[in-house]
């Protein structure tokens, strides 16, 4: 049985190169490119430089959240750490 592409990609993902061996992956959430869901996030409206949001599996808002994501700004880009 072949695994779905997104699941296989998660299994192959590597932690951010921060020197720590158990570092959590960090994802850029602002981009001018379309993602696989045909979304384009150019900016985020926030009162501060950091906030937390529920982490959903596969954009499924009908299922319970699987965790919390920390969203933070570095320069002009927004990053997300699950």
């Amino acid at each position: 049985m072949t695994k779905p592409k997104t699941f296989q990609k998660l299994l192959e993902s590597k932690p951010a190169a921060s020197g720590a061996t158990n570092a959590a992956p960090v994802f850029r959430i602002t981009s001018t490119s379309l993602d696989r869901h045909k979304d384009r996030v150019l900016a985020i409206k926030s009162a501060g430089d950091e906030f937390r949001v529920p982490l959903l599996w596969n954009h499924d808002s009908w299922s319970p959240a699987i965790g919390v994501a920390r969203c933070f700004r570095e320069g002009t880009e927004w990053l997300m750490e699950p």
Side-chain angles (χ1 to χ4, degrees):
M1 178 177 177
T2 55
K3 296 177 180 130
K5 264 188 189 177
T6 53
F7 186 70
Q8 188 66 33
K9 195 172 184 179
L10 280 173
L11 291 175
E12 294 171 355
S13 67
K14 294 181 173 72
S18 64
T21 57
N22 294 332
V26 176
F27 301 93
R28 182 177 3 162
I29 57 177
T30 52
S31 174
T32 57
S33 303
L34 289 174
D35 67 9
R36 70 172 184 249
H37 298 286
K38 305 297 184 227
D39 295 331
R40 179 180 291 140
V41 180
L42 300 175
I44 294 177
K45 186 176 181 179
S46 171
D49 288 336
E50 184 173 329
F51 59 93
R52 296 185 185 278
V53 295
L55 186 60
L56 304 175
W57 180 255
N58 208 19
H59 292 240
D60 184 5
S61 60
W62 289 95
S63 296
I66 60 170
V68 177
R70 174 183 163 245
C71 300
F72 57 98
R73 184 184 347 216
E74 279 190 3
T76 60
E77 292 186 335
W78 281 91
L79 306 171
M80 184 272 290
E81 180 180 43

